[in-house]
Amino acid sequence: MGTDTELYDLDIDRTAGNVARTGRRLVRYALHFKWQLFAALLMLAAAVGTDLAGPLIAKRMIDVHISGIEQPWYMTEQEGPYAVSYGGQLYKRADHFAEGETRGAEARVLQVRQDYYFVDVPVPFDGERTITPEGLLAIAKGTETRTYAAQKLGTGQLYPFFQPEMSGLIQLCVFYFGLLMISAVFSYGERYLLQATANRIIRKMRTDVFAHMNRLPIHYFDNLPAGKVVSRITNDTESTRELYVTVLGNFFSGVIYMVGVFAALFILNARLAAICLFMVPLLAVWIYVYRRFAKRFNQVIRATVSEINGMINETIQGINVIKAFRIEKKTEQDFEKFNLRHFTYKSKLLSLNAMTGHNLVGVIRNIAFVAMIWYFGGISIAGAEGAISLGMLYAFVDYLNRLFQPVVRIVNQLPNLETALVSAERVFVLLDEQGEDVSDQRMERYKGNVKFEDVWFAYKNDEYVLKGISFEARPGQTVALVGHTGSGKSSILNLLFRFYDAQRGRITIDGGNIMDVPRQTLRDHMGIVLQDPFLFTGTIASNVSLGDESISREQVEKVLAEIGGERVLKYLPKGIDEPVIEKGSTLSAGQRQLVSFARALAFNPAILILDEATSNIDTETEAIIQDALEVVKKGRTTFIIAHRLSTIKNADQILVLDRGEIVERGDHDTLMRLGGKYYQMYQLQHGEQELTTVKTGSLSPGIV
């Protein structure tokens, strides 16, 4: 039901080189759609740029149009949109005077707590502001304090000083709203393009994996259960998809966002921006440490998911056996081992994420804010020149908050990053298995002369299951292979089909070495009927033609008629259009075998292989197939593996195998007279009395 650890599936202790190679291969896949990705990243940069303009606009709104009221005001004689009437005089703010324009006496509008005061004299320095009991405005800077006569402004008196800035405020608000709309459009375009491109990348990856699976040799699947292959093609590619959609998007947006924020911070205050740079190496160390701990957890999780899929697939395939032998509890216990391991490592990963997630981000954020308070507060307390404005303070706080948004996104994507890398590596392990391209080369139909010349073959190193096999099957002959289980019968046919290749000797068809012909081309004129036929989801007709457009419906009906299939399939409500579910489980063994037989013959093979084709069917269906065989064998070289010796009595040549060697050969009568292994097997199947008659020569050739 699976192994405790999937060491052959994926080495748990990956090296940095493996990660780098996986990353490069993921980049190569992405480069197939580089223009879409490039467009998505451009849109991302535009969206980030427009979004980051917000604090700078807010800073201008505060410093120029709101806090700008505290700039010096000068008397003027010219009326205009920026001129404000107060106390019978016109005043205009310093930044609204044109170059060379005459300025009168200076005045100031200063805020003390929530109230505003008008001072009609210059104020040389700023500092801590208070109102004395006498109603004077006192400004203290260090040890120096100055007092000014000040008039408190009511709402009606204050509003005219703000009114000239309203048009500027409205323009900035409209501009900011426009930027938000542009950012929303680019964000939508970036997300759509990125996800659409990721879907295309994964589609190509799945296509490549599935196509490569068809190129893999049969022996690869001997060691890797179907459920694990399915897990790689579905689960692992889907996890890899998250790399392109979520991880890539958040990492790129995070990096671009951080670069933009730092650029804005350096524009605002280079010294404090330099202090905040401590987060960059801290984030790099954070990612490195996290991945060292997380990668093993993710590898075990992915391997365990593969084990679970393999076990579920195995359980479904063997559900009849499980129920028949009442091992449901044992199966559940085995499943729970994998389930518990998956839960345990998921919990470990959850703990790691909790420890290194938002808590650590909060610590870093607090450190940055402490640095900002220390820097700006120190300037204010010391009363040094260059004290910051309210707009500057707002912009810094806003940018620092924005700086941690991409940090949080990047940190939150670290689990997905590691999962995606593990999954991608598992996919690439499958893709790296040596395969063979499917050949489109075609060749003329064989005559069907098959020759084995001193063939030796082993599934494992030097454990030969075939030893010095030599024989010849002439065109149109029927060759039967018999022998006890493990004698090498199926191995001979595996070599003929090139499911495996021999270590020594050679096999020829019409004088040509089969090793010189691509596997797919070689099988173009071969047909096979297995002991346990496999039917695909569809209909009986589609299972006969296998979707080959060159095989018409009329040919399907003709082939079924030739083998007598209509006598069995006529009981189906829809005939050859009867639906077939996976493996044809709703059909009887005889019906499945007839469909498999018709499938082999529909392709008009020059070489036909019957591997225990009649062992699992009833006597009536076997009789139908036996009658059909006499017709379909004409013009074909036929190989038959059979335990029922009665089905091969008419074979032109019978090869008796024992422990990988041909120990007897000849037709039925010759081998019976020889009295060797074939005679003994026949005796076991047909009894002493009949065989005694055969041995004395009184049995006619046609009698069983």
Side-chain angles (χ1 to χ4, degrees), residues 250-251 254 258 282-284 286-287 290 352-361 364 404-417:
N250 280 286
F251 265 74
M258 290 179 70
L282 183 60
L283 182 60
W286 185 354
I287 293 174
Y290 174 87
L352 179 64
N353 293 337
M355 287 188 293
T356 59
H358 293 283
N359 293 336
L360 194 52
V361 173
I364 298 176
F404 286 98
Q405 293 175 12
V407 173
V408 170
R409 288 201 297 267
I410 290 174
V411 169
N412 287 343
Q413 291 308 314
L414 291 179
N416 291 334
L417 171 64

Side-chain angles (χ1 to χ4, degrees), residues 216-223 436 452 455-460 465-466 490-504 507 514-515 519 522-523:
L216 292 174
I218 295 293
H219 65 76
Y220 176 80
F221 300 96
D222 294 341
N223 299 321
E436 186 174 304
F452 276 60
V455 173
W456 291 68
F457 171 66
Y459 291 102
K460 297 181 180 179
V465 295
L466 294 179
S490 295
S491 296
I492 289 177
L493 301 186
N494 284 338
L495 294 181
L496 180 59
F497 249 87
R498 282 199 69 191
F499 291 147
Y500 300 87
D501 291 325
Q503 281 80 13
R504 292 162 52 184
I507 304 170
I514 65 172
M515 298 295 292
R519 297 177 196 268
L522 177 73
R523 298 164 188 159

Side-chain angles (χ1 to χ4, degrees), residues 587-625:
L587 302 178
S588 69
Q591 290 170 331
R592 291 197 302 271
Q593 196 61 280
L594 278 170
V595 174
S596 179
F597 219 99
R599 175 196 296 165
L601 299 181
F603 287 84
N604 190 26
I607 298 174
L608 179 63
I609 296 173
L610 308 177
D611 188 356
E612 302 286 356
T614 60
S615 62
N616 287 340
I617 60 178
D618 57 87
T619 306
E620 181 183 357
T621 307
E622 180 184 353
I624 294 173
I625 292 179

Side-chain angles (χ1 to χ4, degrees), residues 663-690:
V663 294
E664 296 176 9
R665 69 180 74 202
D667 59 18
H668 172 75
D669 291 337
T670 300
L671 293 178
M672 291 299 294
R673 293 189 184 95
L674 186 62
K677 284 189 173 294
Y678 182 80
Y679 172 84
Q680 293 172 5
M681 287 187 289
Y682 202 90
Q683 182 181 29
L684 289 173
Q685 290 188 16
H686 294 80
E688 290 279 345
Q689 183 176 358
E690 182 184 21

Side-chain angles (χ1 to χ4, degrees), residues 184-440:
V185 170
F186 279 119
S187 294
Y188 168 79
E190 170 261 325
R191 288 178 182 274
Y192 178 83
L193 270 179
L194 198 59
Q195 294 203 30
T197 305
N199 288 336
R200 291 189 178 98
I201 294 171
I202 297 305
R203 176 190 174 190
K204 176 172 175 52
M205 183 178 289
R206 280 186 177 148
T207 300
D208 290 348
V209 175
F210 189 82
H212 188 70
M213 183 185 69
N214 286 327
R215 292 193 290 268
L216 292 174
I218 295 293
H219 65 76
Y220 176 80
F221 300 96
D222 294 341
N223 299 321
L224 191 63
K228 295 181 181 180
V229 179
V230 171
S231 179
R232 295 192 186 192
I233 298 176
T234 55
N235 296 355
D236 288 331
T237 53
E238 186 61 27
S239 295
T240 306
R241 177 183 174 276
E242 291 301 311
L243 175 70
Y244 294 106
V245 175
T246 308
V247 178
L248 183 67
N250 280 286
F251 265 74
F252 270 100
S253 65
V255 171
I256 293 174
Y257 216 94
M258 290 179 70
V259 170
V261 169
F262 274 115
L265 289 177
F266 272 101
I267 291 173
L268 294 174
N269 190 300
R271 183 176 178 184
L272 185 59
I275 294 174
C276 293
L277 281 175
F278 79 92
M279 285 182 294
V280 176
L282 183 60
L283 182 60
V285 172
W286 185 354
I287 293 174
Y288 174 78
V289 173
Y290 174 87
R291 291 195 60 205
R292 279 187 61 87
F293 285 96
K295 70 177 181 180
R296 181 178 179 85
F297 298 159
N298 276 294
Q299 288 164 341
V300 175
I301 288 169
R302 299 308 305 168
T304 306
V305 168
S306 181
E307 294 279 8
I308 289 173
N309 285 338
M311 184 173 181
I312 291 173
N313 180 72
E314 190 176 54
T315 302
I316 293 172
Q317 298 293 331
I319 193 67
N320 293 339
V321 176
I322 291 172
K323 290 184 177 297
F325 287 89
R326 296 174 296 170
I327 57 172
E328 292 92 342
K329 290 294 184 184
K330 175 64 167 58
T331 306
E332 291 174 11
Q333 291 171 2
D334 292 340
F335 180 82
E336 183 56 25
K337 291 179 183 177
F338 296 125
N339 205 19
L340 179 61
R341 187 204 302 167
H342 183 267
F343 170 78
T344 301
Y345 279 88
K346 273 285 190 181
S347 298
K348 291 181 179 180
L349 187 60
L350 181 63
S351 299
L352 179 64
N353 293 337
M355 287 188 293
T356 59
H358 293 283
N359 293 336
L360 194 52
V361 173
V363 171
I364 298 176
R365 180 191 290 115
N366 292 335
I367 292 174
F369 277 119
V370 167
M372 184 188 70
I373 293 170
W374 168 78
Y375 179 75
F376 287 146
I379 292 177
S380 299
I381 292 173
E385 292 294 330
I388 64 166
S389 65
L390 183 60
M392 175 79 78
L393 181 62
Y394 170 83
F396 249 100
V397 172
D398 195 342
Y399 276 126
L400 280 180
N401 278 324
R402 289 168 181 256
L403 182 61
F404 286 98
Q405 293 175 12
V407 173
V408 170
R409 288 201 297 267
I410 290 174
V411 169
N412 287 343
Q413 291 308 314
L414 291 179
N416 291 334
L417 171 64
E418 190 58 39
T419 299
L421 288 176
V422 172
S423 298
E425 186 173 347
R426 287 164 54 83
V427 173
F428 292 140
V429 166
L430 180 60
L431 286 173
D432 287 339
E433 288 292 332
Q434 186 173 358
E436 186 174 304
D437 290 336
V438 178
S439 174
D440 293 329

